[in-house]
Amino acid sequence: MPLFGNTFSPKKTPPRKSASLSNLHNLDRSTWEVELGLDYGTPTMNLAGQSLKFENGQWVAEMGVRGAVDQREAQRLWRRNQQLEEENNLLRLKVDILLDMLSETTAESHLMEKELDELRSVSWRRK
């Protein structure tokens, strides 16, 4: 027997009702989004003065206070730069080939002129 009376025994809590009291489970998805504000939009963050937003699985820089170039524009310019460099390399190769062809043709024409001069000198000696 306890010294100061009965032992501590709290009352049992009544069991909870299984059905919800709200009617939110009856609403369709679009109404749920409107009512509860589940349409968050694109996530954005500000990091070191540059504003970034999450689009198509990547963080993309927005036009910030510093006037930063949009990342998509930078990628487009980088690709265009790569294309122009490849085109420039191809054109340099074509110029080198044309110069080789020109030097070969010039060398052949000099050899032909030399042979022609030799044949003329031989024909003049025979006369």
Side-chain angles (χ1 to χ4, degrees):
M1 179 149 186
L3 186 61
F4 295 108
N6 291 343
T7 61
F8 178 74
S9 61
K11 293 182 180 178
K12 289 193 174 187
T13 57
R16 293 185 178 199
K17 294 181 181 180
S18 62
S20 174
L21 294 177
S22 73
N23 60 356
L24 291 177
H25 65 278
N26 295 333
L27 298 176
D28 63 306
R29 181 171 174 80
S30 60
T31 310
W32 220 23
E33 288 177 355
V34 171
E35 291 293 324
L36 299 177
L38 296 178
D39 188 18
Y40 299 116
T42 58
T44 58
M45 73 173 165
N46 192 358
L47 186 64
Q50 177 137 6
S51 180
L52 302 168
K53 64 181 178 178
F54 194 74
E55 284 183 351
N56 300 327
Q58 290 184 339
W59 286 100
V60 179
E62 290 182 323
M63 297 299 277
V65 177
R66 297 181 186 175
V69 177
D70 188 30
Q71 184 178 359
R72 286 176 282 172
E73 181 70 14
Q75 287 177 348
R76 187 189 67 77
L77 291 173
W78 183 82
R79 284 190 208 113
R80 180 68 176 144
N81 188 26
Q82 291 294 106
Q83 289 174 347
L84 291 174
E85 284 180 3
E86 289 175 7
E87 184 179 349
N88 193 16
N89 289 339
L90 179 66
L91 291 173
R92 285 183 184 181
L93 182 63
K94 286 182 178 183
V95 166
D96 285 343
I97 291 172
L98 287 173
L99 286 174
D100 288 345
M101 292 171 64
L102 178 64
S103 61
E104 184 181 345
T105 306
T106 304
E108 286 177 0
S109 75
H110 284 300
L111 285 175
M112 292 174 127
E113 285 179 9
K114 195 173 188 181
E115 286 179 21
L116 187 60
D117 288 342
E118 287 177 7
L119 287 175
R120 284 183 186 159
S121 67
V122 170
S123 71
W124 280 102
R125 286 186 207 162
R126 287 189 182 174
K127 288 186 182 183

